[in-house]
Every structure is written in structure tokens, then in C-alpha cells.
């Protein structure tokens, strides 16, 4: 800790502790990349409220800077067996695959590559998990520290195991799974495919929704409990549990909200805290502000493909640059690759942009985005219409939501032409319905009794104070699939009905025969 910088914070934090009478200890099993950017905001707020935050971090990672001495968190570094280079190469390969190779692949080659990529990353996550489990010294130290809660993300294999080892409750921060499989099977969250679209299937197609729910089922084993059994501690925690998915988070902090989601059933231990990282815009750096002001009445367009994609092929970057040069707005483009030859005089390239501050600038007219949840939420927060160029992960789903809400135009990255991008930009900039819809979402987002960040903090603290939130846990976790769908009850009722009908029919037949015989007798007489 750089105590000097944090001293005022600390004072304030202790004041908080005194007033609430509770300072806790939080340990974090983080997911890297954009997930980290999001959860970091929550952790910073927890530090501000007087809690101690310790992050378990792999020595090779993408965005978690554990050497940053000004960080408010304590880090425990796990010396993982894979090198930074291996990780960076895998990431480059992954991005290259999605950005340059996908359009030329046959569907089944594509599936095979997807599976291979997933294995590579899951393997590194497992190695990280193993490194932790085998570090008995660290485990002893952490146990002694008496943590109150663990914060994890189901996509980082092993969080639930770490919590189990440290014997503390855990909270998930989560956004997305294909076919809603993780929330459904690990969290027990109902998601009827008839009206809750299975992610990435688009918004309306019910056949695809049902199909994706079924096909995604086996993926659950990657993320739910069996991720644990793949760790060194084979002697399966799963075996101890009544159902494979009963090692469940106390609270799920879902990184969306009703401005983004469509109404769906949810459980009391699910809290929708989308946009918790968003803040009012701060002033821009001087040079950037001057450039923005030079746009005059036309305003500016902000363009970023996210924290991971910083490099495009020459062909793509020229296609994009040419389209950008055709609009009257000034464009601020976050890009680290080679400067494209067709770059217009209205476009400036930056290594890094203060994205939230730019989106909150009064002159900002549109946002060109890859569709990551963080960026989408910054646009919703500030009411900025979008042009979406989704590539992988939850990005297609995010853009599909925004398009369905009328706040975005979607483009296909692999077939992108200059004309497509130019047209999309002109539509979003000229047709006021996109701006109106974005503003409508923004108003919904801001009109909440408690901010998403405060709600997230409340529930983490709740779990710390009460050592869990078991009273919010649905009994669904203890049911088998046929009990869950009440098939056993239906079978029982069906059997009862069948027996009753059978007896009734038998009686009728018996009576009829008797009557028939009686009548026949009388006739004879
Ligand atoms: C990114 O840049 C490097 C070097 O500048 C280049 O070798 C690589 O091919 C680029 N990646 C893509 C996707 O074009
Ligand atoms: C968009 O609107 C501007 C000004 O209102 C106009 O000059 C321009 O031609 C319009 N573009 C399109 C594609 O309609
Ligand atoms: C603007 O966009 C909306 C939604 O796509 C469309 O219904 C409407 O016709 C457009 N308006 C104009 C003037 O093009």
C-alpha cells in the first residue's frame, strides 16, 4: 500500500467502520480482463467502506497489475506454471481466430477450434486452481486471516473450491452463459425458453432458445461443481453434495439490469447490478477536450473495440478508417495497431481513451463498440446510441439486446465493408429514434432507489454479517430434474386418475350388465 495516497481514504474508511460497527475481510478469486475491470470497482468501494480486500492472482495474467504499489488491495500471487508469454500467445491466437479466421471456417471446424481454445484457457485456469490447492502454506495463512467472504466469477474455475477450503461463504459476480446454463443449473434460476431468450440466440426465435438450452447443458459441468473435481483435490467435494450443483453462491450479482434485460423470473438471491462501474463523466485531458470542441455542432463519435482487441489486420483497419472519414463528426478511436493509410483528417487514434468520460461528454453523438458489457453500460448510463460490431463471448448477445431495444445498429465484423459502417453510422446519427431510445434506457437506469454499486456492496456485507444468505436459497437445489418439473407428482396424479377411471368404468359395466339382465328378465315375464 502506498499509505500516503490512501491515507484520507483510510480515515474515511475507519469512520465508516465505526458508524456501522463492522469491518470485514474479503478474499477475491478474480476473472481476468473485462471482468476484473468491473469487479475492481466493487472492491474499491468495499475498501472505502473499511473492509480489507485480498486478491488471489496468478503470476501470469492479462490485466491484474499486482505490482501496482498504489493499489488499495493486498495481493497473494500464485506462482503458476505457465508463463506470461504462453498466456499472451494464447490470447493473440484466440483474438486472431475470432477476427480473421472465423469467416473462412466450416461450421464443424469452427466447433473444433472453439473447443480447443476453450480447453487451452480452462487448462490454465485449472493450473491456477491447482497452484492454490497445493500451496498449503498460503492456505494456512489465509485460514488464519479469518476471511468473511469470497468473491468469485463462475467463469474462473475453482472459486467455489477456494471458498470450501477456506470454509467461508462466497458471492458470484456474473454476466453471461450460453443457454443461461450456469445461472439455471448452478444457481437454480428459472429461465423458461419460451420467453427468456437463451443468450446469443437472438431475441425472438423460440426453437433456437429451446435448442440452445438443451445443447448447452453439458457445458455446465465445465463451470459448476465438476470444475472442482478437475482440481487436484480430486476427492470430490461433489461427492459430498446431494446434487452436483449444490455448492452454490450465497448471492449472485448479475452484471445487467432491467434497462438491458427483458423481464424474466428471478430468485431473491439474484441481484441485478448492471452498470455498477458507471460514473458521471470527469473532465477530459486538455488536448482531447480541444479536439472534441473542434467538432463544433457535429459533435464526436467514440470508437473502441475493448480492452483486449488493440490490433486489426491492415485490410480491416483501412475499411474502418475510410468509413469514419465519411462522416462530418470528429472520431476518437482507441487503437494500438498500425495507423491505417485511409485515416481521415476527422479521426484521431489513441492508445487509450477515458471511455466513460468521453461517453458522458455533451458533444458525444454515437459510440462504435464491440459490445462488451462494460462499454454497453457506459453508453446506457450516458444515453448514447450505438453501432455494434460484436466478435465473441457475450458481445453478440449484448448487441442483440441493444438492437431489440432500438438503441443500436448491429454489424457483422467478418463481412464488414466501408459502406456498411458508413450507413450504420449515418442511421444512428441522423435517425433520432436511436438517440431517443438510448435516452429512455438511460432514464430507466438512473431511476433506481439504490444505485447498483450500493446494492452490490450491501449484499456482500450482508453475507459477511450473516455468514451467508441460506434463507434466500431455493429448495430447487435438493430436487432431481423430474422432481423439479413435478413429473413424479404428475405421474402419481395420472396413476390415481387412471385407477379411478378404471374402477368407475368397471362399476358402470357391472351395473349395466345387471340392469340389462333385469330388463331382459322383465321383458320375458
Ligand atoms: C498485430 O500486429 C502485429 C505486429 O504489429 C502483426 O504481426 C499481427 O499480424 C497483427 N494482428 C492482426 C490480427 O492483424
Ligand atoms: C443526415 O442529416 C444531415 C443533416 O441533417 C444531412 O446533411 C445528411 O445528408 C443526412 N444523411 C443521411 C444519410 O440522410
Ligand atoms: C428510424 O429508425 C426506425 C427504427 O429502425 C424506423 O422505424 C424509422 O422509419 C426510421 N426513420 C427514418 C426517418 O428513417
Amino acid at each position: 500500500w502506498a499509505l500516503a495516497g490512501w491515507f484520507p481514504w483510510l480515515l474515511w474508511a475507519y469512520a465508516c467502520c465505526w458508524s456501522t460497527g463492522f469491518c470485514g475481510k474479503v478474499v477475491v478469486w478474480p476473472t481476468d480482463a473485462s471482468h476484473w475491470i468491473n469487479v475492481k470497482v466493487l472492491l474499491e468501494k468495499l475498501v472505502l467502506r473499511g473492509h480489507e480486500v485480498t486478491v488471489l492472482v496468478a503470476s501470469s495474467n492479462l490485466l491484474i497489475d499486482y505490482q501496482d504499489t498504489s493499489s488499495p488491495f493486498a495481493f497473494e500471487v500464485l506462482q503458476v506454471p505457465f508463463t506470461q508469454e504462453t498466456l499472451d500467445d494464447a490470447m493473440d491466437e484466440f483474438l486472431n481466430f475470432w477476427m480473421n479466421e472465423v469467416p473462412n471456417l466450416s461450421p464443424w471446424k469452427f466447433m473444433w477450434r472453439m473447443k480447443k481454445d476453450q480447453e487451452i484457457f480452462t487448462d490454465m485456469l485449472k493450473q491456477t486452481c491447482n497452484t492454490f490447492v497445493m500451496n498449503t502454506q498460503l492456505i494456512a495463512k489465509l485460514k488464519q486471516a479469518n476471511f468473511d467472504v469470497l468473491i468469485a466469477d463462475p467463469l474462473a474455475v475453482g472459486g467455489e473450491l477456494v471458498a470450501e477450503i477456506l470454509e467461508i461463504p462466497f458471492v458470484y459476480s456474473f454476466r453471461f452463459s450460453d443457454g443461461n446454463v450456469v445461472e439455471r443449473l448452478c444457481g437454480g434460476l428459472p429461465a423458461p425458453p419460451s420467453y427468456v431468450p437463451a443468450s446469443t440466440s437472438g431475441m425472438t426465435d423460440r426453437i433456437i432458445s429451446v435448442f440452445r438450452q438443451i445443447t448447452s447443458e453439458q457445458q455446465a459441468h465445465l463451470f459448476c461443481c465438476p470444475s472442482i473435481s478437475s482440481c487436484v483435490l480430486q476427492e470430490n467435494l461433489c461427492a459430498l453434495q446431494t446434487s452436483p450443483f449444490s455448492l452454490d453462491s450465497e448471492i449472485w450479482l448479475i452484471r445487467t439490469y432491467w434497462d438491458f434485460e427483458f423481464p424474466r423470473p428471478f430468485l431473491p438471491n439474484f441481484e441485478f447490478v448492471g452498470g455498477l462501474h458507471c460514473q458521471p463523466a470527469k473532465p477530459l485531458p486538455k488536448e482531447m477536450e480541444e479536439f472534441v470542441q473542434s467538432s463544433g455542432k457535429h459533435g464526436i463519435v467514440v470508437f473502441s473495440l475493448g480492452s483486449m482487441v488493440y490490433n486489426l489486420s491492415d485490410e480491416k483497419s483501412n475499411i474502418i478508417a475510410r468509413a469514419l472519414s465519411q462522416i462530418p463528426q470528429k472520431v476518437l478511436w482507441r487503437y494500438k495497431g498500425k495507423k491505417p493509410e485511409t485515416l481521415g483528417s476527422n479521426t484521431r487514434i489513441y492508445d487509450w481513451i477515458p471511455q466513460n468520460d468521453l461517453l458522458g461528454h455533451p458533444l458525444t453523438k454515437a459510440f462504435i463498440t464491440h459490445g462488451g458489457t462494460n462499454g454497453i453500460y457506459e453508453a446506457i448510463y450516458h444515453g448514447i446510441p450505438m453501432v455494434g460490431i460484436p466478435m465473441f463471448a457475450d458481445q453478440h448477445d449484448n448487441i442483440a439486446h441493444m438492437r431489440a431495444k432500438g438503441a443500436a445498429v448491429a454489424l457483422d465484423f467478418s463481412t464488414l465493408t466501408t459502406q456498411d459502417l458508413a450507413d450504420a453510422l449515418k442511421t444512428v446519427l441522423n435517425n433520432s429514434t436511436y438517440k431517443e431510445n438510448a435516452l429512455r434506457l438511460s432514464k430507466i437506469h438512473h431511476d433506481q432507489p439504490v444505485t447498483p454499486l450500493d446494492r452490490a456492496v450491501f449484499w456482500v456485507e450482508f453475507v459477511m454479517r450473516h455468514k451467508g444468505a441460506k434463507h434466500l436459497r431455493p429448495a430447487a437445489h435438493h430436487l432431481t430434474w423430474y422432481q423439479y418439473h413435478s413429473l413424479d407428482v404428475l405421474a402419481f396424479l395420472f396413476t390415481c386418475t387412471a385407477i379411478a377411471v378404471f374402477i368407475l368404468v368397471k362399476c358402470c359395466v357391472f351395473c349395466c350388465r345387471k340392469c340389462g339382465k333385469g330388463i331382459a328378465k322383465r321383458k320375458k315375464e
Side-chain angles (χ1 to χ4, degrees), residues 406 409 427 430-434 437:
V409 170
T427 307
N430 267 24
N431 184 335
S432 61
T433 51
Y434 291 92
N437 287 328

Side-chain angles (χ1 to χ4, degrees), residues 488-500:
D488 50 346
V489 176
L490 286 178
F492 174 71
L493 291 179
F494 178 78
T495 315
C496 290
T497 316
I499 291 172

